[in-house]
Amino acid sequence: MILQELTLVNFKNIAGAELQFSPKVNCFLGDNGMGKSNLLDALYFMSFCKSFTGATDPMLVMRGGGFAMLKGRYQRRGLEEEVAAAVQPGRPKSFKRGGKAYQRLSQHIGAFPLVLLSPADMTLVGGEPSERRRFIDQIISQRDAPYLDALVRYNHALEQRNKLLKQECADGSLFDALEAQLEIAGDYISRRRVENIARLEEIFRPYYRAIAECDEQPGLSYTGRDYSAEGGLAEHLRLSRGRDSILRYTASGPHRDDIEFSLDGMPLRRSASQGQTKTFTSALRFAQYELLRESLGIRPLLLLDDIFDKLDAGRVRRIMAIVGGSDSFGQIFITDTNRKHLDEIVADIPQSHISDPYRLWHVEQGRFTPIDTHRSL
């Protein structure tokens, strides 16, 4: 899959931009705060219908702009496709594919897959379990539409049960119905998480060792609870109503599970250096990319946002060789403040079959100025 063109109007600090991209590597060079990451956020928004920063939709609209508009022209499975989105405070956001609006935005997830590496990935290791659940949920949702549907149904039932707990509702039949829904959706969610984490670990380990170039043993494991010995999740929740009523929330279920990241058998968050942590999260994202590529049959977009911070020169060089020198990765978008990194990536790009392998822009105050590279760098 290739994003050929992107048009932005009033998106964050980008008043207007019309960009045509290389099918391989697209680099955005500039100081911090100039709009490089905002451009990547626009690409992310086009795939996931939301910002990767957690910003609400009104926050995506440039101050004084009144609305934001995004339009992308893709080459996907040999066909040209257009995706258009509009955000206007006070109104539901609009997403159209081929000029036709979606009935539900969840129908768009996975159609234009994307993987993002960013400095925020460090929170995957040191952050709350919700960050790691969101990570695996995003992977599975892009490759498994029933999983996304199960997540929606589970979260809706969970929200309703929590409301009953706060209202101190005594109607057991209402709890029974919701807990049955939680068990059906929750069993599917847990099973698919276990399967996907096992496959992700197989792909992840070689990437970690390629970047770290050492004998460290990285690991991933799902720490979900098995409720089968207790008669199933619904029965467990029925017996937990008294406790949950005191807490005023549902204290157990797949929404409380976690993924353990380890290095040589030790929890990563307790033992790893910043360089090891950055290596771990970078390898995770590369593994995510390969998992999506093998299951969807198309290459996702790969976004690399300031990925070289906190890495030594050797690890930087090995990451550059992976992203620039491998045919496994399709179209890549990179931001950095250091042109040296970008030029070294370009030097590793295979030249045989791509006529336009590299484009570079200078970014300042939301404006994108093409830089002539001449391929002689």
Side-chain angles (χ1 to χ4, degrees):
M1 183 183 73
I2 300 296
L3 176 59
Q4 297 171 314
E5 296 179 2
L6 179 68
T7 301
L8 300 176
V9 177
N10 297 333
F11 185 84
K12 291 191 165 181
N13 77 327
I14 305 171
E18 294 185 14
L19 305 172
Q20 290 78 44
F21 299 119
S22 161
K24 184 58 179 176
V25 176
N26 299 275
C27 303
F28 302 91
L29 179 69
D31 295 333
N32 292 326
M34 291 293 104
K36 304 187 305 297
S37 295
N38 290 344
L39 185 279
L40 297 192
D41 201 13
L43 302 182
Y44 188 95
F45 187 85
M46 296 292 280
S47 288
F48 291 102
C49 309
K50 63 182 180 180
S51 166
F52 73 72
T53 66
T56 61
D57 291 340
M59 294 171 63
L60 303 179
V61 179
M62 189 177 195
R63 183 176 298 179
F67 71 95
M69 187 274 288
L70 309 87
K71 184 170 67 175
R73 185 165 61 85
Y74 295 81
Q75 188 78 19
R76 181 181 177 275
R77 300 192 188 278
L79 300 174
E80 279 199 5
E81 296 212 41
E82 183 177 280
V83 176
V87 179
Q88 187 171 0
R91 295 186 180 183
K93 60 189 165 191
S94 167
F95 259 83
K96 295 181 179 181
R97 179 179 177 183
K100 184 178 179 180
Y102 286 100
Q103 291 183 340
R104 294 179 293 115
L105 291 181
S106 60
Q107 296 172 319
H108 184 69
I109 307 304
F112 298 86
L114 176 149
V115 174
L116 167 70
L117 284 76
S118 80
D121 285 343
M122 300 289 275
T123 63
L124 283 174
V125 176
E128 296 297 317
S130 59
E131 297 286 343
R132 292 178 286 278
R133 289 194 300 271
R134 189 177 301 115
F135 164 73
I136 193 63
D137 288 345
Q138 184 188 82
I139 294 175
I140 307 174
S141 294
Q142 288 191 85
R143 64 196 297 257
D144 183 352
Y147 183 85
L148 181 57
D149 180 64
L151 272 180
V152 171
R153 289 187 286 109
Y154 183 92
N155 288 331
H156 178 72
L158 179 65
E159 180 182 4
Q160 295 304 308
R161 187 178 190 270
N162 286 341
K163 284 183 179 179
L164 294 183
L165 293 171
K166 292 174 183 176
Q167 295 167 0
E168 300 181 354
C169 175
D171 189 340
S173 63
L174 290 177
F175 278 102
D176 288 343
L178 291 171
E179 288 158 4
Q181 293 176 41
L182 287 167
E183 178 172 310
I184 293 170
D187 284 351
Y188 185 79
I189 290 168
S190 297
R191 185 172 69 255
R192 295 296 287 143
R193 283 176 176 173
V194 170
E195 293 168 356
N196 277 267
I197 288 171
R199 177 59 184 137
L200 188 71
E201 185 180 40
E202 292 177 4
I203 303 170
F204 156 76
R205 284 179 169 172
Y207 276 116
Y208 182 90
R209 291 173 184 146
I211 299 170
E213 213 173 59
C214 66
D215 294 329
E216 295 168 340
Q217 299 296 318
L220 312 174
S221 61
Y222 186 56
T223 61
R225 182 169 175 173
D226 183 1
Y227 297 97
S228 59
E230 304 171 58
L233 178 60
E235 177 65 10
H236 171 85
L237 292 174
R238 185 185 69 79
L239 297 174
S240 302
R241 288 175 196 168
R243 177 203 63 185
D244 290 351
S245 294
I246 296 172
L247 295 172
R248 299 171 69 84
Y249 65 86
T250 304
S252 50
H255 64 288
R256 306 289 292 177
D257 294 345
D258 200 356
I259 306 172
E260 184 69 47
F261 298 156
S262 63
L263 201 57
D264 291 333
M266 295 291 293
L268 190 70
R269 63 181 179 275
R270 297 179 186 172
S271 59
S273 66
Q274 286 188 325
Q276 288 172 317
T277 300
K278 189 67 177 281
T279 300
F280 198 99
T281 56
S282 297
L284 269 181
R285 293 301 188 185
F286 293 145
Q288 175 187 352
Y289 185 99
E290 187 170 330
L291 185 62
L292 290 172
R293 179 175 57 82
E294 77 173 19
S295 60
L296 297 175
I298 58 176
R299 290 182 172 90
L301 304 184
L302 179 62
L303 278 53
L304 309 177
D305 188 20
D306 193 22
I307 65 165
F308 303 113
D309 184 41
K310 297 182 175 64
L311 290 174
D312 59 53
R315 295 183 193 226
V316 167
R317 185 178 64 255
R318 290 187 286 274
I319 285 180
M320 291 188 297
I322 288 172
V323 299
S326 173
D327 283 336
S328 297
F329 297 100
Q331 192 176 28
I332 303 171
F333 298 82
I334 308 174
T335 70
D336 206 337
T337 58
N338 184 342
R339 182 167 177 175
K340 179 176 180 290
H341 292 153
L342 305 182
D343 291 343
E344 290 176 355
I345 288 175
V346 172
D348 285 326
I349 299 174
Q351 301 297 309
S352 57
H353 60 287
I354 300 177
S355 59
D356 182 21
Y358 176 51
R359 291 191 184 183
L360 173 65
W361 288 264
H362 181 259
V363 185
E364 185 172 5
Q365 300 299 337
R367 295 186 297 273
F368 297 81
T369 304
I371 298 175
D372 188 2
T373 60
H374 293 300
R375 299 300 304 154
S376 61
L377 300 172

